[in-house]
Amino acid sequence: MHKNLVEKMEKLKNISNNSSLNKIFNKNGKIGIITSGSAFNYVMDVINENQLEISVLKITLSYPFPDQLVLNFIKDLETIIIEEVDPIMEKEVLSIIGQNQLKKNIHGKLDGTLPMIYEYSPNIILNALNKVTDTNLDIYDANMSEIKIPERQPTLCPGCPHRAAYYSVNKAVSELNLKNVIYPTDIGCYTLGVASPYNSADYLLSMGSSIGTSCGFSKATDQNVISFIGDSTFFHAGIPPLINAVHNKNRFVLVILDNRTTAMTGGQPHPGLSTDGMGWEAPEISIEEIVKATGVKFLRLINPLNIKKSQQTFKEALEFNGVAVVISRYPCMFIKRKREGNLSLEVKQNKCNSCAKCITELACTAIYIDKEGLTHIDPQLCNKCNVCVQICSEKAIGIKNSFNR
Amino acid sequence: MKPYNIYISGVGGQGIIKTSTVIGESAMKSNMSFVMSEVHGMAQRGGGVSTELKIGDAHSPIIEYGSADLLISFEPLEDLRAIPKISHKTTVIMNTSIIYPFNLSAGKHSYPNIEDIIKELDNKSLKVYAFNANQIAKESGHLLSMNMVMLGAAAAVNGFILEKEVVIDSMKINLPEKSLDINLRAFESGFDSIKSS
Ligand code: SF4
Ligand code: SF4
């Protein structure tokens, strides 16, 4: 088997050496650039705009590396390797130089001509050319704003069920007086839980890593671990680590944020829904049944918009000695926004004591404080999830019937 | 042919990608090459969006610092963020209608004064056309046609590389039929607002 593969690679090398995918452009000048991917585009723009005499070898079929082609190309040229990310081609070229005992310098990331970091741009290429040639090219100047520009950060939508879940988890943690809780998380809108006031995303490695890393954290520390994963990510990469968590007797709380879609990337379906990727009807795979089958002994289902019940459930989960799973199920606001209708929510100014907890603790983006310091709800943004109504200690948020006004 | 570079910036939900698609389609209809890239990380969750368009002979879809011929900005703050891309050769079309960034500590850093923003851009570009495109869009029939107001304005600018008629044809292909009339009205109003200024 291995023999077959080695022989195949030899044949492929031949193909790669002769493939039209590995192509030489602008054959002229004393400088040669070996490049690939989007770096090729920047190189070509720089050459064309400055009318430079530079040969370019564009590598598209890069494995097995076209050694003969490269050897012939670099022979008589001062060579620069321009590639993004790691210096893979550069090392290949160095090995060709070594094998053929050539006395030759090449430029790239390893000798500092190009930076190891950043996506490339024409400016980075111009700088590199200025370093190793006598071209002396003009670098583009960036104007800078003299006015300080406030950031525009993405946040959870008004009424997002994740916000409600984070709010309740935080309340449960503080009511149980837990310190140093570790919050592994995963990839989705809920990663925005990293922001204040939620602070519920400490660690993220890759898709599905929330559960696997929770196993590690729970073994290595005696801190409480609360882990978050979305419904589609759970199907994608959450099941094997959950099985391991139970089997290895780990102790942590796993919150499956089931918003019935893959929200962050635009609402694609997943196996937990009754529609497949083609829009056909499909069997709905139950998250509950999967969790039960892994042997989890603590499993609860909550509606995160019900704050009291959710807090209570999270508290119980935190006290459980083992893997405790809470499925927090409510549709994404893109599926279930309740903008229509005549009812809207308002802050009753005679009751509101300006504690601003709906802003500092819940931080719904539909709630704001005006110039006079009064709290309001923007009816254009509010999705009527009713969470602020439940958390206001003064009972100052209520329903108004805008139809009558 | 040296490419004509258009940088478009704004906030998620303002119709920037659609506008870019219409421009791209118009370029191709005019037998010109077109490359485009877009940055829209978490746009739907209230973040910034920008697109970079190059019409003509270009390989890479990134506009180098100071190389935009035209900046179309849907929101003043995002206009400021685009400043590295502009130079004294850049024409700026800006919508003066503000979308405040959601910020927990409102007041910690406040939104810059709109007059100051216009002045800053004026100092750093060739010419600034500033107007309330939201208002014009509403008058044309719907706020959501604001992106076509901006496109109409672009089509009226000196040196804009595409023919107005071709752009209108591309709108007809790319926009939903039921809102086409409103969008065409918005486009014409945007066009007139530049021609008459
Ligand atoms: S009901 Fe309250 S918490 Fe929910 S979206 Fe409206 S303002 Fe925000
Ligand atoms: S898109 Fe859905 S899941 Fe994402 S932030 Fe908005 S409501 Fe939450």
Side-chain angles (χ1 to χ4, degrees):
Chain A
M1 185 64 199
H2 193 196
K3 180 169 174 274
N4 281 349
L5 284 177
V6 171
E7 282 166 9
K8 249 189 203 160
M9 287 307 283
E10 273 313 310
K11 280 192 202 146
L12 280 171
K13 187 167 251 178
N14 208 6
I15 293 176
S16 163
N17 268 316
N18 294 300
S19 166
S20 59
L21 292 171
N22 297 327
K23 194 172 161 191
I24 296 175
F25 293 77
N26 303 356
K27 229 178 144 93
N28 55 25
K30 293 216 152 25
I31 305 166
I33 292 178
I34 300 178
T35 182
S36 69
S38 56
F40 166 78
N41 292 327
Y42 304 129
V43 167
M44 292 310 279
D45 280 351
V46 164
I47 289 178
N48 291 342
E49 255 176 55
N50 297 281
Q51 295 172 350
L52 301 173
E53 295 221 324
I54 295 180
S55 305
V56 176
L57 170 57
K58 179 192 185 194
I59 306 278
T60 304
L61 184 51
S62 59
Y63 189 81
F65 200 66
D67 51 359
Q68 279 310 317
L69 181 68
V70 170
L71 182 62
N72 287 336
F73 182 78
I74 61 175
K75 254 193 312 197
D76 309 313
L77 297 173
E78 171 102 20
T79 308
I80 314 171
I81 319 290
I82 303 187
E83 60 189 320
E84 288 185 325
V85 207
D86 285 340
I88 306 287
M89 295 200 302
E90 191 173 346
K91 286 183 182 163
E92 291 280 1
V93 176
L94 283 171
S95 113
I96 292 169
I97 289 175
Q99 276 170 14
N100 293 280
Q101 299 184 6
L102 302 181
K103 282 221 155 10
K104 208 167 175 43
N105 283 334
I106 59 160
H107 306 288
K109 289 178 186 255
L110 296 173
D111 74 340
T113 302
L114 286 137
M116 278 296 227
I117 49 174
Y118 304 128
E119 289 181 0
Y120 284 175
S121 67
N123 254 2
I124 287 180
I125 313 261
L126 288 167
N127 266 316
L129 288 174
N130 281 349
K131 265 190 216 166
V132 295
T133 68
D134 49 11
T135 35
N136 224 337
L137 302 163
D138 287 343
I139 305 292
Y140 294 95
D141 269 343
N143 264 314
M144 283 303 152
S145 165
E146 267 133 61
I147 303 175
K148 198 173 165 321
I149 313 174
E151 278 185 60
R152 190 185 294 279
Q153 281 163 347
T155 52
L156 299 169
C157 301
C160 174
H162 301 332
R163 174 182 288 106
Y166 286 138
Y167 176 87
S168 297
V169 166
N170 280 338
K171 282 287 169 196
V173 165
S174 76
E175 277 173 35
L176 292 175
N177 231 330
L178 302 176
K179 296 274 162 336
N180 301 324
V181 176
I182 305 174
Y183 298 100
T185 192
D186 233 296
I187 301 176
C189 287
Y190 52 96
T191 317
L192 290 170
V194 70
S196 170
Y198 318 114
N199 304 318
S200 308
D202 292 330
Y203 195 83
L204 171 58
L205 199 62
S206 62
M207 268 280 183
S209 69
S210 55
I211 306 178
T213 55
S214 297
C215 297
F217 286 128
S218 88
K219 273 273 187 273
T221 72
D222 51 11
Q223 288 159 256
N224 283 83
V225 178
I226 307 178
S227 189
F228 297 97
I229 191 166
D231 42 353
S232 70
T233 309
F234 179 73
F235 282 111
H236 178 72
I239 301 167
L242 184 58
I243 293 171
N244 284 325
V246 176
H247 182 69
N248 293 323
K249 301 197 280 287
N250 295 129
R251 177 179 186 268
F252 61 88
V253 176
L254 172 66
V255 185
I256 302 177
L257 296 162
D258 180 8
N259 63 357
R260 316 303 295 153
T261 184
T262 316
M264 189 176 76
T265 47
Q268 294 75 10
H270 61 61
L273 305 171
S274 55
T275 317
D276 69 12
M278 299 300 293
W280 305 114
E281 206 183 311
E284 189 176 324
I285 311 297
S286 154
I287 297 180
E288 290 92 312
E289 294 303 325
I290 292 177
V291 173
K292 269 188 228 154
T294 64
V296 165
K297 292 284 173 303
F298 182 106
L299 170 63
R300 300 278 189 283
L301 176 67
I302 58 167
N303 170 358
L305 300 192
N306 183 338
I307 295 295
K308 223 172 164 177
K309 181 84 192 302
S310 302
Q311 278 174 34
Q312 187 51 38
T313 309
F314 286 132
K315 277 205 263 186
E316 285 164 25
L318 277 161
E319 278 162 346
F320 184 75
N321 193 11
V323 180
V325 176
V326 179
I327 302 174
S328 171
R329 177 171 295 152
Y330 195 85
C332 165
M333 280 300 142
F334 274 119
I335 300 175
K336 199 162 183 158
R337 63 174 101 214
K338 296 184 268 183
R339 291 264 175 92
E340 313 75 28
N342 303 315
L343 300 180
S344 61
L345 286 139
E346 72 175 343
V347 180
K348 303 199 175 81
Q349 299 304 340
N350 56 346
K351 286 192 177 167
C352 173
N353 67 359
S354 297
C355 70
K357 286 205 176 130
C358 51
I359 292 182
T360 56
E361 292 181 1
L362 182 65
C364 171
T365 43
I367 311 178
Y368 66 96
I369 298 184
D370 70 10
K371 289 215 165 70
E372 278 76 51
L374 299 178
T375 308
H376 297 279
I377 291 175
D378 184 338
Q380 278 191 63
L381 293 177
C382 172
N383 281 321
K384 305 179 197 172
C385 72
N386 244 8
V387 169
C388 57
V389 177
Q390 299 165 63
I391 67 146
C392 176
S393 58
E394 306 307 306
K395 297 203 165 29
I397 303 178
I399 291 168
K400 81 170 172 193
N401 192 335
S402 42
F403 194 67
N404 291 337
R405 303 211 162 180
Chain B
M1 172 188 137
K2 205 178 155 308
Y4 186 78
N5 298 337
I6 308 175
Y7 190 82
I8 310 184
S9 67
V11 179
Q14 287 188 309
I16 290 175
I17 309 280
K18 191 47 115 191
T19 311
S20 310
T21 313
V22 172
I23 294 177
E25 173 108 27
S26 314
M28 290 189 287
K29 273 181 186 298
S30 317
N31 282 324
M32 292 185 245
S33 312
F34 173 73
V35 284
M36 161 180 164
S37 63
E38 45 189 74
V39 178
H40 57 118
M42 281 202 127
Q44 271 183 316
R45 320 295 171 264
V49 184
S50 63
T51 58
E52 317 199 3
L53 295 74
K54 286 182 170 175
I55 302 170
D57 296 332
H59 283 269
S60 91
I62 302 294
I63 298 176
E64 204 22 276
Y65 294 138
S67 306
D69 293 287
L70 179 65
L71 165 63
I72 311 177
S73 181
F74 287 34
E75 203 284 337
L77 202 57
E78 301 313 308
D79 223 322
L80 287 180
R81 243 185 278 283
I83 282 183
K85 299 281 186 184
I86 70 172
S87 73
H88 287 292
K89 291 183 194 148
T90 312
T91 304
V92 178
I93 303 173
M94 72 181 281
N95 180 7
T96 53
S97 181
I98 292 171
I99 298 177
Y100 290 97
F102 168 69
N103 200 312
L104 284 186
S105 40
K108 195 165 93 188
H109 31 223
S110 53
Y111 198 99
N113 194 315
I114 184 83
E115 310 300 304
D116 294 344
I117 297 179
I118 298 176
K119 215 166 93 205
E120 173 75 1
L121 286 156
D122 218 26
N123 286 337
K124 297 200 153 78
S125 67
L126 177 67
K127 178 155 182 60
V128 178
Y129 296 98
F131 57 95
N132 188 334
N134 285 28
Q135 191 54 41
I136 299 178
K138 276 186 222 154
E139 285 160 15
S140 308
H142 204 291
L143 177 58
L144 284 180
S145 65
M146 183 273 280
N147 57 342
M148 293 299 121
V149 176
M150 299 302 283
L151 183 58
V157 155
N158 255 344
F160 188 68
I161 194 164
L162 301 166
E163 297 291 333
K164 183 181 171 191
E165 284 63 38
V166 180
V167 179
I168 293 177
D169 280 349
S170 311
M171 284 171 68
K172 289 180 183 156
I173 297 170
N174 281 286
L175 301 176
E177 201 167 325
K178 65 177 190 317
S179 60
L180 189 61
D181 282 346
I182 294 177
N183 278 311
L184 289 173
R185 259 203 311 278
F187 180 89
E188 291 294 348
S189 310
F191 189 91
D192 293 344
S193 71
I194 297 292
K195 282 287 179 222
S196 63
S197 66

